Amino acid sequence: MTSDVSFRHKVEAIGFRFLLCLVGLFPVKACSNFGGFLGRTIGPRLGISRKADLNLRLAMPELSEKGRKQIIHDMWDNLGRVIFEYPHLQEIVRTDRGYITVEGIERFEAPEVKDKALIFVGAHIGNWEVLPMTAALRGYPQTIIVRQPNNPLVANAIDNIRTSTGNISAAKGVEGARASLKAIKNKSAVGILADQKMNDGIEAPFFGIPSMTPAAPALLGSKPNAVVFPIQCIRTGPASFHLVCHSAIDFPNNVPRDQAGLEGMTELNSIIEGWIREKPGDWLWLHRRWPKEAYRNLKENS
């Protein structure tokens, strides 16, 4: 235990582990339904929901106030389910349980991608935690790049779940970059969620707004020994999901690095935007995804 661990961290970790154990005592679908009930009942009343409303006004200005409220209601329902599904993730992703169906996994064995490192790119849609865990149980363990919670003890507890099916977890930043390059060198897989703002990324359009975007998927994917697959998670019910393995993206590897990053992430942002528009209530709208200027202009013009 490091000196970075405070008394508050210990108390929070005890509470978190107790919640995991308590929720784990109940059936998985009942937990998902209860989490959804709590989420949609409490969440829309929280002040942070104003951030979700701002995001919706920026990204989908055609929506009415009623439409935005419905999406926020659905978002909190999904987020509550995600939280209460955590203790059951190992059961949910098991191949013999029937909670998850997978489409297009045969693309990973196509001749043109054989002997290449696989980069799986997802988003905070549905339950994003099932993506790497499901892939690992189907023969594709990966190095997953994650944003760790500020509490290192809680981070350890979550990592124990994430890595329980054979994955390796690495924190965003220098650690994640090194781990990704090592995985690509070894022709293994890397998992990245690429839908959130990254200040040291590149500017690419997202919902028509220039936005700081993670460059890693495109820059790694432009290497000749790597290939990028967008993976979509669609919630089909309580603790139930349909994963779609989309066709590989052909990133340029014969152009300058900056151009490769911009072209690749523009295409990926467009794909992720399409997923969100399909089921906007399944995306995490609470993240301040766009530049400060966009929010400032929105408020000034309201």
Side-chain angles (χ1 to χ4, degrees):
M1 194 170 295
T2 70
S3 57
D4 293 332
V5 176
S6 66
F7 177 74
R8 178 180 176 180
H9 287 151
K10 295 176 184 178
V11 173
E12 288 175 349
I14 290 172
F16 180 72
R17 290 180 182 275
F18 174 77
L19 180 62
L20 287 179
C21 292
L22 179 63
V23 174
L25 296 174
F26 297 91
V28 56
K29 290 195 174 184
C31 288
S32 179
N33 285 333
F34 182 64
F37 167 76
L38 285 182
R40 64 180 180 267
T41 302
I42 299 173
R45 295 176 169 82
L46 300 179
I48 195 174
S49 288
R50 289 194 291 271
K51 187 182 295 183
D53 187 69
L54 281 174
N55 283 333
L56 281 163
R57 288 168 62 192
L58 271 176
M60 304 173 75
E62 70 277 7
L63 290 172
S64 65
E65 181 180 0
K66 181 179 179 181
R68 295 196 305 271
K69 285 183 176 180
Q70 182 61 53
I71 291 172
I72 292 171
H73 169 278
D74 295 343
M75 176 202 69
W76 280 109
D77 176 272
N78 182 69
L79 183 56
R81 292 178 184 276
V82 169
I83 294 171
F84 275 75
E85 286 164 358
Y86 257 100
H88 297 282
L89 282 173
Q90 290 169 286
E91 178 184 354
I92 292 171
V93 300
R94 282 180 54 173
T95 58
D96 61 344
R97 285 294 189 265
Y99 292 117
I100 295 179
T101 55
V102 181
E103 174 186 346
I105 197 170
E106 69 279 357
R107 292 191 169 102
F108 305 158
E109 298 296 333
E112 61 268 23
V113 302
K114 201 166 184 63
D115 296 325
K116 289 188 176 184
L118 305 179
I119 301 172
F120 301 130
V121 180
H124 291 83
I125 301 175
N127 189 332
W128 48 92
E129 297 288 1
V130 306
L131 292 170
M133 296 179 70
T134 299
L137 289 179
R138 285 162 173 78
Y140 300 96
Q142 59 203 265
T143 298
I144 52 176
I145 312 305
V146 299
R147 183 197 179 281
Q148 296 287 17
N150 295 329
N151 185 327
L153 298 179
V154 171
N156 287 341
I158 294 176
D159 267 353
N160 287 339
I161 297 173
R162 287 172 171 163
T163 60
S164 61
T165 58
N167 293 314
I168 299 171
S169 176
K172 282 185 177 180
V174 175
E175 178 189 343
R178 288 175 178 168
S180 298
L181 292 173
K182 181 179 178 181
I184 290 175
K185 182 179 179 181
N186 294 334
K187 297 182 179 179
S188 57
V190 177
I192 303 173
L193 298 178
D195 57 327
Q196 294 196 332
K197 181 180 180 182
M198 195 164 189
N199 291 327
D200 59 351
I202 60 173
E203 190 175 77
F206 190 52
F207 282 87
I209 304 170
S211 311
M212 295 307 294
T213 299
L219 297 178
L220 295 174
S222 64
K223 295 183 179 296
N225 61 332
V227 61
V228 174
F229 286 98
I231 312 296
Q232 182 181 8
C233 178
I234 303 170
R235 182 180 289 278
T236 57
S240 301
F241 307 92
H242 181 61
L243 306 187
V244 182
C245 309
H246 290 272
S247 299
I249 297 177
D250 184 20
F251 289 121
N253 54 27
N254 56 352
V255 297
R257 176 186 174 95
D258 290 347
Q259 183 180 345
L262 177 59
E263 290 182 11
M265 290 317 300
T266 296
E267 183 173 357
L268 257 179
N269 276 357
S270 177
I271 291 171
I272 293 173
E273 178 183 331
W275 299 346
I276 296 170
R277 288 186 181 277
E278 283 180 29
K279 291 190 70 179
D282 280 5
W283 192 51
L284 191 63
W285 288 94
L286 299 175
H287 176 68
R288 193 170 282 272
R289 179 66 181 86
W290 289 277
K292 292 180 181 178
E293 294 76 15
Y295 295 101
R296 189 182 304 119
N297 292 338
L298 177 65
K299 291 176 181 178
E300 289 175 354
N301 296 326
S302 296

